[in-house]
Amino acid sequence: MPVPDKLVIHGGRRLTGDVRIGGGKNTSLPVLSAALLCDEPVRIENLPDINDIRVLIEILRGLGVRITRDGDDAVVDPTRLTGTSPRPDLCQKFRASYYLLGALLGKVGEGTVSYPGGCDFGARPIDQHVKGFRGLSAEVEEHADFVTARAKALQGAEIYFDLVTVGGTINVMLAACRASGNTILHNAAKEPHIVDTANFLNSMGAHIRGAGTNMIRIRGVERLHGCTYSVIPDQIQTGTMMIAAAATQGDVCIHGCIPAHMESLSAKLLEIGVRVDDQDDVIRVRSLGGHRAVNVKTQVYPGFPTDLQQPMSSLLTTAAGTSIVTETIFDQRFKHLEQMIRMGVRANVQGRVATIEGVPGLIGAPVVASDLRAGAALVIAGLMAQGNTEIENVDMIDRGYERIDDRLRALGADIRRT
Ligand code: EPU
């Protein structure tokens, strides 16, 4: 049995210098799934080299999709699909495998996909995805371990989501772009990944309007043609690097990002006392310490992203005063704080609210990454702490961050993978 990787961080160093951000995880996953819908090969550029993408590529290959990877780019040829049931063990490894249901339904009118895995934040139902598919006239059967969706002919429809869901909005959009007639998605999510997936589908000849607003209009088309498409940079990796720079009282320029996607975070960092400047696709984050406590409440886009709540709470652990962090999207997204108590953090979690009392400094300790962003939060805490922090379960971090140790080392961090 191979020994799992650990990250060992000797904290207390300022991060300085330049870092470049790769393609977005939560964009690449739907874009790669959406490529299934095409009737010709497509070229997708700027795909991150992360575990979730590797697993999705393996699943697609198992369905007969030919994929040639060349660095950050891939040519995806979905013209000889041989299956409609992706491997359950692989689907259970990550959340975004649910996109295969919408894509298969749109492409061949049927799919059987096991319930997705991914980070454990309490219950993560997919009832709104199912509601949307049923709205498009698909028959959906929900079994204990998997879901089957079938449609002789998908019909466009008006669909009202009962809550704002990123995955549900994209999944129904995937199926609807090959349905006959018009679909309107009401109460749609507005995250940048939704706009990017819609842009990709439109580059293949789909007719989607309004992505990025809460009403998306889709006119179904019969065919989708090949294209070349470059995935947008990762909003959450950008934010993680911004927070890491601030937390280490560093001075870091983050290149190749989209500053407009970072406004809620930049505003919070300014409130804390961190300097943030941007120009074109570069954000510079500078801090001299003296951070102030702030309150953070996660919201759907353009609000403060839940995926940055965990890294942000690391920064708040040493900010002067009491910070209240309220998680409105998921039930249990504070597991990182339990780990950080070992590092001297003073935090109290009551349901979806965490109260963090700033302490003068953190102390390195052995900790475990319970989920992807908890892992990122622990890395940041390790960079802030005096002494050694050993992080176990690094696979979780590798699901969504490409070579996080190399990138941080290039900025001056003392971090190694053992
Ligand atoms: N929800 C339902 N029913 C549904 C769908 C969602 O009740 O059918 C609930 C969820 O339980 C949650 C809320 O609605 O309470 C929002 O869930 P959403 O569907 O928006 O999230 P998701 O599609 O499961 C994606 C990202 C997450 C990110 C959230 C919110 C991917 C693969 N995952 O998850 O990313 O936190 O949107 O922005 O895109 C991460 O990257 O670390 C990550 C967890």
Side-chain angles (χ1 to χ4, degrees), residues 25-27 29-30 52 94-99 119 121-130 161 163-170 189 191 193 236 299-301 305-307 310 328-331 333 352 371-373 399-400:
K25 167 177 96 74
N26 291 345
T27 298
L29 292 163
D52 277 13
F94 65 132
R95 190 82 199 144
S97 51
Y98 50 36
Y99 291 136
C119 297
F121 313 135
R124 295 180 76 181
I126 56 164
D127 57 301
Q128 298 302 305
H129 305 227
V130 170
F161 289 112
L163 46 78
V164 180
T165 153
V166 170
T169 301
I170 294 181
E191 267 67 4
H193 6 299
I236 306 303
Q299 300 281 354
V300 294
Y301 190 79
T306 171
D307 295 345
Q310 293 160 293
T328 71
I329 311 292
F330 292 110
D331 283 337
R333 212 172 186 181
R352 289 179 169 215
D371 57 76
L372 165 58
R373 309 298 171 191
R399 284 189 40 219

Side-chain angles (χ1 to χ4, degrees), residues 58-248:
E58 198 179 339
I59 293 179
L60 291 170
R61 285 187 174 137
L63 296 175
V65 179
R66 280 177 296 169
I67 302 179
T68 322
R69 256 202 113 155
D70 173 15
D72 294 343
D73 306 338
V75 175
V76 182
D77 179 355
T79 51
R80 291 190 213 160
L81 211 59
T82 52
T84 56
S85 305
R87 261 177 61 185
D89 57 323
L90 295 181
C91 288
Q92 284 156 14
K93 285 189 181 231
F94 65 132
R95 190 82 199 144
S97 51
Y98 50 36
Y99 291 136
L100 295 164
L101 201 56
L104 286 165
L105 196 55
K107 174 82 178 235
V108 288
E110 68 171 271
T112 297
V113 178
S114 83
Y115 287 108
C119 297
D120 178 9
F121 313 135
R124 295 180 76 181
I126 56 164
D127 57 301
Q128 298 302 305
H129 305 227
V130 170
K131 174 180 173 172
F133 297 145
R134 287 194 175 130
L136 298 176
S137 302
E139 277 176 32
V140 185
E141 286 169 24
E142 295 176 84
H143 300 271
D145 300 327
F146 62 92
V147 193
T148 297
R150 266 187 217 96
K152 284 207 178 76
L154 284 176
Q155 293 291 334
E158 281 202 43
I159 291 156
Y160 293 80
F161 289 112
D162 298 331
L163 46 78
V164 180
T165 153
V166 170
T169 301
I170 294 181
N171 221 350
V172 180
M173 188 167 83
L174 294 179
C177 71
R178 296 289 297 253
S180 56
N182 294 323
T183 296
I184 303 179
L185 304 181
H186 296 273
N187 199 22
K190 298 186 273 196
E191 267 67 4
H193 6 299
I194 289 158
V195 179
D196 205 39
T197 308
N199 287 343
F200 172 59
L201 288 163
N202 285 340
S203 303
M204 295 191 292
H207 196 279
I208 302 172
R209 301 292 180 261
T213 74
N214 60 8
M215 193 199 285
I216 302 181
R217 295 169 184 276
I218 304 161
R219 193 177 75 216
V221 295
E222 283 183 9
R223 264 184 69 75
L224 292 176
H225 56 72
C227 71
T228 295
Y229 192 79
S230 185
V231 168
I232 56 168
D234 196 303
Q235 179 199 16
I236 306 303
Q237 270 192 47
T238 305
T240 305
M241 285 297 172
M242 290 170 69
I243 295 167
T248 58

Side-chain angles (χ1 to χ4, degrees), residues 6-10 388-391 414-418:
K6 276 188 192 173
L7 287 177
V8 181
I9 304 172
H10 189 78
N388 278 348
T389 296
E390 263 190 37
I391 304 177
D414 182 347
I415 177 169
R416 56 199 162 83
R417 194 178 275 261
T418 62

Side-chain angles (χ1 to χ4, degrees), residues 334-353:
F334 285 124
K335 291 181 186 158
H336 56 297
L337 289 175
E338 287 166 28
Q339 296 291 316
M340 285 188 211
I341 302 289
R342 299 183 196 171
M343 303 177 73
V345 164
R346 285 183 60 197
N348 179 278
V349 176
Q350 296 289 333
R352 289 179 169 215
V353 180

